Amino acid sequence: MPGKLDGRVALVTGGGSGIGKAAAVLMAKEGAKVGVLSRTRDEIQETVDEIKGFGGEAVAIQADISAPSDMEEANRKIVDTF
């Protein structure tokens, strides 16, 4: 059964814990390819590993949303990956 987000790409900020992590996992379960973004590398890698564990697609992106250059690089990484 296709997911509601098949063919979509999502960027989830704060994806290492709490609501952000839950949103990233849910979107991936619905078929989205997910860029998991946070300032904390270990937490986002755990989220990515969880998503990949059930067959989803995700990439960890360490960045600070208040830094425009970080967000430009995050966008480039998502485009290049997906």
Side-chain angles (χ1 to χ4, degrees):
M1 177 175 211
K4 294 177 183 176
L5 299 175
D6 283 350
R8 308 271 182 165
V9 176
L11 172 61
V12 179
T13 61
S17 63
I19 293 171
K21 180 175 183 171
V25 169
L26 179 61
M27 288 180 191
K29 285 183 177 178
E30 287 295 332
K33 298 172 184 175
V34 183
V36 182
L37 187 142
S38 181
R39 292 180 294 171
T40 309
R41 181 59 140 167
D42 292 340
E43 287 184 343
I44 54 177
Q45 190 58 54
E46 287 178 20
T47 303
V48 167
D49 291 344
E50 182 178 338
I51 290 169
K52 288 183 176 182
F54 60 76
E57 293 185 61
V59 61
I61 303 170
Q62 186 173 1
D64 181 343
I65 64 168
S66 68
S69 62
D70 280 8
M71 295 311 297
E72 288 171 10
E73 182 59 32
N75 283 319
R76 270 192 294 277
K77 187 168 185 175
I78 289 172
V79 168
D80 291 346
T81 303
F82 301 124

